[in-house]
Amino acid sequence: MPQSPTPTVALFAAALGLAGLLSMSLASAQVPPLREPVHRDAVAALTAGTLLVAARHLPDSNFSKTVILLGDVTRGGAVGVVLNRRSTVPLARVFPQLVPNLATASLAFLGGPVETTRTMALIRAAQGPAGTRHVVDGVHLATAREAVEAAITAGTTATHLRIYLGYAGWSPGQLEAETGQGAWHVLPGDADVVFDPDPASAWQRQIARTDVMQARQVELSPRPRS
């Protein structure tokens, strides 16, 4: 169920230069407290630039079968962007004043259930444009509308620019608790995954990737002596 933001979360957003991103309700499934040491390594890996891959059993419709790029994780909470849900909203409707710079078939992505009218962008570049912040190698996040519009008017191609409506947010400790309960697989950030040419099937491929990784971990785990 959605939660109301806390003062700590608001301060966290402001400190990161993401002021306003957590100014409304936070969305994510309620989970029991972290069961130590379940998925301890996954919890320890949570940081800006990592990928969250929804577990098969994740019941929250907001996040079922999603792949999320984390923008930041601190004691004050976490924010991220869903990568693999393309909307039916044309970018020309979101930025009508920039129509000459937009491909008519370009569609926005659904970045998450919080502030769904707010626009954000991920830009693939060796060096981030002005007004963006580095998230993972080759990927930069623009949260201000001016920076998003600048990327469009600069002629950034669709293979290097994705625009999102809304974002995902978690209150302090919430993402850690969900991950500890097995709701999320945590993978290193990867620009190729962020800009997957077939986002609709990204979750299927990433969940298969986690299966392989878990199988290898089992093979490498020391076996108890008989």
Side-chain angles (χ1 to χ4, degrees), residues 45-202:
L46 291 170
T47 187
T50 53
L51 297 170
L52 300 179
V53 180
R56 288 184 173 85
H57 64 270
L58 186 65
D60 188 344
S61 60
N62 288 314
F63 298 111
S64 177
K65 296 184 178 181
T66 57
V67 179
I68 295 175
L69 175 68
L70 284 177
D72 238 310
V73 182
T74 75
R75 292 181 180 179
V79 290
V81 179
V82 175
L83 300 174
N84 61 323
R85 288 186 173 173
R86 200 189 299 269
S87 77
T88 58
V89 180
L91 291 180
R93 186 190 306 171
V94 182
F95 301 97
Q97 75 282 15
L98 300 179
V99 168
N101 302 91
L102 294 168
T104 56
S106 295
L107 299 173
F109 284 75
L110 299 176
V114 187
E115 288 196 81
T116 55
T117 60
R118 184 186 184 102
T119 57
M120 301 171 64
L122 289 173
I123 301 164
R124 187 168 193 173
Q127 186 171 1
T132 66
R133 57 188 300 270
H134 176 265
V135 180
V136 69
D137 287 349
V139 180
H140 308 269
L141 172 67
T143 59
R145 188 177 178 93
E146 294 79 6
V148 178
E149 291 181 350
I152 295 172
T153 56
T156 311
T157 64
T159 58
H160 288 70
L161 172 66
R162 289 194 176 168
I163 296 173
Y164 302 84
L165 303 175
Y167 58 94
W170 293 265
S171 58
Q174 187 178 11
L175 179 58
E176 290 84 349
E178 293 179 8
T179 304
Q181 293 295 322
W184 301 102
H185 301 282
V186 182
L187 300 178
D190 187 325
D192 289 337
V193 176
V194 174
F195 288 89
D196 192 312
D198 184 16
S201 64

